[in-house]
Amino acid sequence: NHMRCCANDSGRSPSRGTVGIGGVTVRDGSAWMRSESCTSVGMFGVGVGMLYTPLLVDRLQLDYPSGYAVANILRALTDKRLLKASIAKLGGGTGLGILAAWLTEKVAAVAALSVSSSTVGAGMVVGSRITVPAMCMGLLGYAITAPLQRIGWLGPNDPYRKIGFLISLAMICGAAMVDLAMLAVQAVGRIRNRAQAPVDDEPAWKKVNVPRLIAWVVGWGAAVVVVATQVLHQPAGFIIFGLALSLLFVLINGIAYGISDNNPISSAFVMSVLLMSLLGLKDPLVGLMASSILLISTSVGCDMQQDRSTGWRLGTNRVVQFRYQVLGIFMGAVLCVGLARVFMGAYPVLSVNQLDHPDTQVGQWGSAMTYKFVGAIRDLGALSAHKVKALLIGLGIGFTMEVLRKIIRRHPAYLRFVQGSRKGFAVGYAMDSVVLPSPYAAAFGGFIALPATIWFGVGGVLTSLFNTFSKRFTREPAPGEAVLPEDMSTMSLVGGGLIAGESLFYLFVGLFGLLALLN
């Protein structure tokens, strides 16, 4: 998306050494310069992602549903007893995922339902206390779409998420302010008590050299500034601003990703553009470059967290994981520019500026993320008042909800009530899912289309219903029978299979299309 933002007004493919941005064609140097830029930013993002691992993975123990699914698959494939006990569930889920993806591609009636097996699978992994808030947020957004259109916050045909993603991202920021403040207080306490802690109480596979990691982040951050200013001739101030925002959003988006399997990188990108617009930036190329630092860092950093989550469940050496991630980033930075050229050459419709030519038939190349990027870049220097209001509303909602959740959920009387009876359990479920849900979970409903939030909610509800009714039929395992670990439940295996099945299907479709193109 960084490389193929949009074409110039003529609708032709950009020439060599140019990038088109919302109707503005800008010369930005040769392909090696862009690869060098992507490499520097990617390496910076890898370091930042690793830096937050002890917080998001070890302390908060977020699910990271796709990482959860990968861990279950790897454990099953490497342990004969677990494989025997889980093969039907995991394989069945994978088969259903492939079938659902195939039906979506081939059957118009199924495609009209906007069903995604990976979305259902992610919902099955995280459960209904996460998915129902997202679904409620999506339904609420749908209900207030017409009023928002009447007051001019949305166009006549705009969906809620065109403004909802700003509210949702601000909700996450508001909730994160509360959590970060509490974590800072706890960190101070741990530092004070460090002298009393055991000297070697951390497993060897978790250990990393923190000073070297900090030096890595600082060094590659400096490299980003050097490449941006000396090679791509961008102003240092906004580049450094993009790096600073990356430190914040890798953490915020990492929390959202760990809870909902959704990394709102496009929303973080747009947020950075809006902030730079408030600071007076009007140059679209500078906005693209500075915001792309945030885009790439957040994408890479959150991917790091997901991999570390998988490694946490498997006890994988983090230094080894880090090295392989670095190799992957290097190869991706080299290949992304070349593959962008291949795809834009093979599919000229990718060069069409859909903002200026909305009636163009683009088929499957909707480029939704690019669409948002270009629209945000065009807002530079002309930030709408209602967008600022939306951000402030979301910030206030997220902050207030998280403060209330912290107060209520820590009250001893409330804890005794929700844990002491079926009525209390029902009240606790309603509070967590509908009345006062996690802002991180609810925010998901503002990032994606309503059908996706509904399917996400369906997955979570299926898991809750299955877990409730299956307890009545649970039997004691026979002597010598393999027992699955607690976190390898039936629904997590089936959900992980759905995610894997859809991913495999589209991987094969992509490879087939590429081979057909080469032939």
Side-chain angles (χ1 to χ4, degrees):
N1 287 285
H2 174 209
M3 289 295 108
R4 63 166 176 78
C5 280
C6 229
N8 51 35
D9 284 330
S10 66
R12 294 179 285 106
S13 299
S15 61
R16 183 176 181 83
T18 67
V19 174
I21 310 165
V24 180
T25 303
V26 187
R27 298 191 176 276
D28 70 336
S30 62
W32 74 266
M33 293 181 181
R34 295 194 291 274
S35 294
E36 190 177 49
S37 174
C38 289
T39 301
S40 301
V41 178
M43 296 303 181
F44 173 78
V46 167
V48 175
M50 191 67 155
L51 204 57
Y52 291 143
T53 294
L55 171 61
L56 301 184
V57 177
D58 297 336
R59 181 167 179 76
L60 297 182
Q61 296 186 7
L62 302 178
D63 284 325
Y64 289 94
S66 293
Y68 195 158
V70 171
N72 283 344
I73 292 170
L74 291 176
R75 278 190 289 185
L77 293 177
T78 54
D79 188 314
K80 292 182 180 179
R81 295 171 65 252
L82 293 181
L83 180 62
K84 183 178 179 180
S86 62
I87 187 65
K89 303 167 185 175
L90 185 59
T94 303
L96 285 174
I98 294 173
L99 177 62
W102 181 83
L103 290 173
T104 301
E105 287 291 310
K106 301 296 182 180
V107 181
V110 177
L113 297 175
S114 300
V115 63
S116 168
S117 56
S118 63
T119 302
V120 176
M124 293 170 68
V125 171
V126 300
S128 61
R129 291 186 190 237
I130 299 297
T131 66
V132 170
M135 183 169 60
C136 290
M137 183 71 169
L139 292 170
L140 175 63
Y142 178 79
I144 64 175
T145 297
L148 291 175
Q149 289 173 344
R150 284 196 294 270
I151 65 176
W153 283 32
L154 293 172
N157 300 314
D158 289 339
Y160 165 72
R161 67 185 181 125
K162 190 167 183 178
I163 191 69
F165 81 90
L166 288 176
I167 298 174
S168 291
L169 187 60
M171 285 175 60
I172 294 175
C173 292
M177 289 170 59
V178 179
D179 287 330
L180 292 176
M182 295 186 66
L183 289 169
V185 173
Q186 295 169 10
V188 171
R190 288 198 301 273
I191 291 173
R192 289 176 177 174
N193 298 327
R194 181 172 294 176
Q196 305 173 6
V199 176
D200 194 19
D201 61 346
E202 188 176 52
W205 61 269
K206 281 187 178 183
K207 292 182 177 179
V208 296
N209 190 313
V210 176
R212 287 185 182 179
L213 184 58
I214 293 174
W216 175 282
V217 172
V218 173
W220 281 108
V224 171
V225 175
V226 170
V227 171
T229 56
Q230 302 303 312
V231 178
L232 300 177
H233 308 296
Q234 302 301 304
F238 284 107
I239 299 301
I240 294 173
F241 183 68
L243 289 171
L245 285 179
S246 299
L247 295 173
L248 174 63
F249 279 102
V250 170
L251 178 59
I252 292 174
N253 282 34
I255 295 173
Y257 198 26
I259 290 176
S260 66
D261 207 37
N262 170 60
N263 181 6
I265 54 175
S266 60
S267 298
F269 177 96
V270 175
M271 177 73 83
S272 68
V273 172
L274 295 179
L275 291 174
M276 285 185 287
S277 181
L278 286 174
L279 294 175
L281 179 64
K282 297 182 180 180
D283 188 328
L285 181 58
V286 175
L288 176 66
M289 292 301 301
S291 300
S292 292
I293 292 172
L294 172 66
L295 169 69
I296 299 172
S297 297
T298 305
S299 177
V300 170
C302 291
D303 184 63
M304 278 286 290
Q305 298 304 329
Q306 179 175 272
D307 290 348
R308 294 306 80 77
S309 174
T310 299
W312 175 73
R313 290 182 167 90
L314 301 177
T316 307
N317 186 287
R318 285 179 176 168
V319 174
V320 174
Q321 281 190 294
F322 182 82
R323 291 169 180 169
Y324 275 103
Q325 193 87 10
V326 166
L327 290 174
I329 293 301
F330 176 75
M331 291 302 299
V334 173
L335 290 173
C336 70
V337 178
L339 289 176
R341 292 187 183 281
V342 170
F343 274 92
M344 293 186 73
Y347 302 97
V349 71
L350 287 172
S351 301
V352 175
N353 185 342
Q354 296 177 34
L355 284 173
D356 287 340
H357 307 284
D359 297 328
T360 303
Q361 298 298 317
V362 297
Q364 75 271 33
W365 303 108
S367 302
M369 190 178 290
T370 304
Y371 188 89
K372 281 188 278 187
F373 291 171
V374 177
I377 291 293
R378 286 187 166 183
D379 278 341
L380 282 172
L383 184 59
S384 303
H386 71 268
K387 291 184 178 180
V388 176
K389 292 179 181 178
L391 291 171
L392 293 175
I393 289 171
L395 193 69
I397 292 174
F399 183 87
T400 303
M401 288 175 65
E402 193 63 19
V403 168
L404 291 176
R405 280 174 58 84
K406 290 288 190 292
I407 295 173
I408 294 173
R409 288 163 60 87
R410 296 187 177 202
H411 197 284
Y414 176 78
L415 292 176
R416 288 194 299 269
F417 174 67
V418 298
Q419 296 172 3
S421 65
R422 290 185 177 181
K423 181 180 179 181
F425 175 83
V427 170
Y429 180 86
M431 287 288 290
D432 287 345
S433 302
V434 181
V435 180
L436 198 61
S438 166
Y440 301 109
F444 185 61
F447 292 128
I448 59 175
L450 178 62
T453 64
I454 292 176
W455 288 115
F456 188 58
V458 166
V461 171
L462 286 175
T463 290
S464 293
L465 291 175
F466 179 86
N467 291 338
T468 298
F469 291 106
S470 64
K471 292 178 181 178
R472 302 178 182 180
F473 306 100
T474 301
R475 62 175 180 81
E476 292 294 326
E481 182 180 355
V483 179
L484 292 173
E486 185 177 350
D487 62 349
M488 288 184 71
S489 64
T490 295
M491 297 307 282
S492 71
L493 287 169
V494 175
L498 288 172
I499 296 171
E502 185 175 88
S503 300
L504 288 171
F505 176 82
Y506 285 110
L507 172 63
F508 291 139
V509 167
L511 291 175
F512 180 80
L514 184 58
L515 291 174
L517 176 64
L518 295 176
N519 292 331

